[in-house]
Amino acid sequence: MTVIQKNQLNIGVLVYGCGHHQAAWLMPNSSVNRVGEIEYYQSLAQLAEKGCFDAVFFADSQSFLAQEPNEIPAFWFDPLINLTAISQVTKYVGLVSTISSTFSNPFTASRQLLSLEHITNGRVGWNLVTSMRDEEAWNHGMESLPSHEERYKKADEFAELMHKLFLSWDREEVLADRVRRQLINPDNIFPINHKGEFFNVRGPSTTPKSPQGKPVAMQAGASKQGIQLAAKHSEAVYSVSWNISQAMKYRQKLDEAIKQNGGCKQQIKVFPGLVTYVGKTREEALAKKQALDEMLPLETALKQLSYFLQMDCTDWEIDLKVPTLPPLEQFNGPVGRYETILEIIHDTNPTVKELLGFLSAGGGHFTLIGTPEEIVDQMEMWLDKGVADGFNLMPPTLPESLEDFIELVVPEMQKREIFRKQYEGKTLREHLGLK
């Protein structure tokens, strides 16, 4: 009898402050007083490893984001420093850091990532971003960000150069032969001599190739240029999809970009963001969401909505239905977020307050509310439809929502044989099933 191997979900967690919901810090059991303690992040990573997660992921910003009294500065530590500390209290879970090609020096960034690779024996990934805010540029001697087109041209060269530096020489070239008095084999260690439009780097790296070959390359851009960049350089992508229709469109765009790039690459893993409110009953799960939404600072949330919609929403009546918005083709702002908001309105017909509640935890990512069985039903459907290879968990509160997921959702996935019960490999590449 032939046993059919079921597809397996990959699960990572995006660690953000004391939770992704804007009201998380206001809850009575909030971790807000611990966001500056490294032990807090270490404990969250240990929780993720207890749940057999593939990776812990940190986003990043090169500017101080908090502008209002009730906004939390979520990025307390540099992600690579944070992950290095986390690496010392974990053994298996992958460690993924965001790297901005707009501001980072590729030689330094590649050396830092390779260093962490050797410290962890191959558990590292990096998420390439182009940065989005002028406030970040002001911290790097710029009056404003370069144009969208120029940022992506630079990111393309950055990714190519990082690949060269990651693979510039092998650890086997350290001979340490005392008898022959030969420490290294210089005949096999060469400069890379990269000369491009944005970077000139002689090389090679000061750090040899990593235990898993090279850190896993990831990307999170949803624009046309972002998808093209991912198709060319990435092995996995983080995506934004409120519903399965959006997820299908994203996968189709990515597959088409891979074909245009020559089609020689294996299918890139897609990890949509996932916000979960889980309880032993649906009523319990709904109560967890309602408790957070009731604490939401509405004035700040309406300002954020105004930014997303490129219109003044601050005087909207929160208990009335969302006013009719212009169609997507008439919108001149950030299209991806606007499209998501239109999908939320189409699916839920929300009041303004309800819309703010959905946007307040993850900004419009796939949101599931219910029992473990109900939540895994939806996750499994996305896996079976081929629109998600796994999910990037965005817990509304930390550590509580993460604990709920591990205690309630993980056993249900394991019961259905779509998620590991223990780690079988040691590297992030092995966890994700990548070559």
Side-chain angles (χ1 to χ4, degrees), residues 36-199:
E37 300 174 7
I38 193 59
E39 293 84 2
Y40 168 63
Y41 300 97
Q42 289 176 321
S43 68
L44 293 176
Q46 288 173 320
L47 262 178
E49 189 163 89
K50 175 185 174 183
C52 293
F53 281 27
D54 293 86
V56 173
F57 168 47
F58 282 97
D60 193 25
S61 174
Q62 299 281 319
S63 66
F64 189 84
L65 292 178
Q67 302 296 320
E68 302 290 337
N70 52 26
E71 288 184 299
I72 186 169
F75 304 113
W76 195 287
F77 296 120
D78 179 284
L80 273 171
I81 303 297
N82 201 336
L83 290 169
T84 302
I86 285 172
S87 75
Q88 299 305 288
V89 297
T90 55
K91 293 182 178 180
Y92 297 99
V93 70
L95 309 170
V96 181
S97 174
T98 290
I99 303 290
S100 170
S101 59
T102 305
F103 306 120
S104 297
N105 177 298
F107 186 88
T108 301
S110 62
R111 184 170 69 161
Q112 290 172 333
L113 288 164
L114 280 177
S115 297
L116 188 55
E117 272 281 79
H118 286 281
I119 289 169
T120 63
N121 292 314
R123 291 194 277 143
V124 175
W126 65 292
N127 174 50
L128 173 62
V129 301
T130 60
S131 295
M132 296 175 57
R133 296 171 180 266
D134 286 339
E135 289 88 342
E136 297 176 85
W138 300 341
N139 290 329
H140 291 273
M142 305 177 187
E143 293 186 1
S144 62
L145 280 177
S147 68
H148 190 269
E149 181 180 358
E150 183 174 338
R151 295 203 311 274
Y152 274 96
K153 282 179 66 178
K154 186 176 183 180
D156 184 28
E157 184 181 336
F158 186 95
E160 178 186 336
L161 178 51
M162 292 285 279
H163 176 79
K164 291 178 182 178
L165 288 164
F166 285 147
L167 303 177
S168 60
W169 63 284
D170 199 290
R171 189 172 183 170
E172 293 178 358
E173 305 310 328
V174 179
L175 304 177
D177 188 335
R178 296 184 183 88
V179 175
R180 299 172 61 186
R181 303 177 72 84
Q182 191 172 6
L183 179 56
I184 64 169
N185 181 13
D187 293 339
N188 289 339
I189 304 175
F190 311 104
I192 62 172
N193 291 323
H194 176 92
K195 293 184 179 181
E197 181 179 353
F198 298 97
F199 305 106

Side-chain angles (χ1 to χ4, degrees), residues 200-215:
N200 292 318
V201 178
R202 181 181 185 274
S205 175
T206 59
T207 310
K209 194 166 67 173
S210 81
Q212 62 175 341
K214 62 176 181 175

Side-chain angles (χ1 to χ4, degrees), residues 13-25:
V13 58
L14 172 52
V15 175
Y16 183 88
C18 53
H20 285 263
H21 197 290
Q22 292 175 28
W25 71 278

Side-chain angles (χ1 to χ4, degrees), residues 126 128 155-157 159-161 163 214 217-218 228-235 261 265 268:
W126 65 292
L128 173 62
D156 184 28
E157 184 181 336
E160 178 186 336
L161 178 51
H163 176 79
K214 62 176 181 175
M218 300 180 173
Q228 289 172 341
L229 186 71
K232 187 174 180 180
H233 296 290
S234 298
E235 298 165 280
N261 194 48
K265 183 181 288 189
I268 297 171

Side-chain angles (χ1 to χ4, degrees), residues 245-292:
S245 173
Q246 269 193 312
M248 286 179 173
K249 290 176 184 176
Y250 180 85
R251 175 70 91 172
Q252 289 166 359
K253 290 177 183 177
L254 183 61
D255 288 345
E256 182 58 35
I258 293 171
K259 289 179 183 177
Q260 291 175 359
N261 194 48
C264 58
K265 183 181 288 189
Q266 65 177 6
Q267 189 178 59
I268 297 171
K269 295 259 184 176
V270 176
F271 303 134
L274 174 63
V275 178
T276 58
Y277 301 88
V278 58
K280 294 180 181 178
T281 65
R282 182 168 180 79
E283 290 72 24
E284 181 184 328
L286 286 166
K288 290 178 180 180
K289 183 178 188 303
Q290 184 177 4
L292 281 162

Side-chain angles (χ1 to χ4, degrees), residues 27 53 76 96 147 171 224-225 265 293 317 339 418:
M27 302 306 286
F53 281 27
W76 195 287
V96 181
S147 68
R171 189 172 183 170
K224 182 179 180 180
Q225 292 93 332
K265 183 181 288 189
D293 290 350
E317 292 290 337
E339 181 182 19
I418 57 173

Side-chain angles (χ1 to χ4, degrees), residues 186-410:
D187 293 339
N188 289 339
I189 304 175
F190 311 104
I192 62 172
N193 291 323
H194 176 92
K195 293 184 179 181
E197 181 179 353
F198 298 97
F199 305 106
N200 292 318
V201 178
R202 181 181 185 274
S205 175
T206 59
T207 310
K209 194 166 67 173
S210 81
Q212 62 175 341
K214 62 176 181 175
V216 175
M218 300 180 173
Q219 206 266 342
S223 67
K224 182 179 180 180
Q225 292 93 332
I227 292 172
Q228 289 172 341
L229 186 71
K232 187 174 180 180
H233 296 290
S234 298
E235 298 165 280
V237 293
Y238 295 122
S239 64
V240 181
S241 298
W242 163 259
N243 55 26
I244 197 165
S245 173
Q246 269 193 312
M248 286 179 173
K249 290 176 184 176
Y250 180 85
R251 175 70 91 172
Q252 289 166 359
K253 290 177 183 177
L254 183 61
D255 288 345
E256 182 58 35
I258 293 171
K259 289 179 183 177
Q260 291 175 359
N261 194 48
C264 58
K265 183 181 288 189
Q266 65 177 6
Q267 189 178 59
I268 297 171
K269 295 259 184 176
V270 176
F271 303 134
L274 174 63
V275 178
T276 58
Y277 301 88
V278 58
K280 294 180 181 178
T281 65
R282 182 168 180 79
E283 290 72 24
E284 181 184 328
L286 286 166
K288 290 178 180 180
K289 183 178 188 303
Q290 184 177 4
L292 281 162
D293 290 350
E294 287 297 325
M295 298 291 286
L296 183 64
L298 292 175
E299 184 177 341
T300 300
L302 284 168
K303 285 182 180 179
Q304 183 191 60
L305 183 63
S306 299
Y307 173 76
F308 289 157
L309 300 182
Q310 302 285 289
M311 65 175 70
D312 186 5
C313 307
T314 54
D315 61 351
W316 283 8
E317 292 290 337
I318 62 171
D319 292 321
L320 297 181
K321 295 294 182 180
V322 178
T324 302
L325 298 176
L328 184 63
E329 52 271 17
Q330 294 180 17
F331 185 69
N332 295 320
V335 173
R337 186 76 64 181
Y338 189 75
E339 181 182 19
T340 296
I341 291 172
L342 293 181
E343 291 286 342
I344 294 173
I345 294 170
H346 177 268
D347 288 351
T348 66
N349 189 28
T351 63
V352 172
K353 186 176 181 180
E354 288 168 342
L355 176 61
L356 295 175
F358 284 120
L359 292 174
S360 67
H365 286 269
F366 187 33
T367 300
L368 294 175
I369 310 163
T371 65
E373 294 80 8
E374 290 172 329
I375 286 173
V376 178
D377 281 347
Q378 292 297 310
M379 295 172 69
E380 189 171 17
M381 181 179 71
W382 281 43
L383 176 66
D384 291 342
K385 293 284 187 182
V387 298
D389 298 287
F391 295 93
N392 193 31
L393 191 65
M394 304 170 69
T397 64
L398 286 169
E400 288 80 8
S401 299
L402 179 57
E403 291 171 335
D404 286 347
F405 190 92
I406 291 168
E407 292 173 10
L408 299 172
V409 177
V410 167

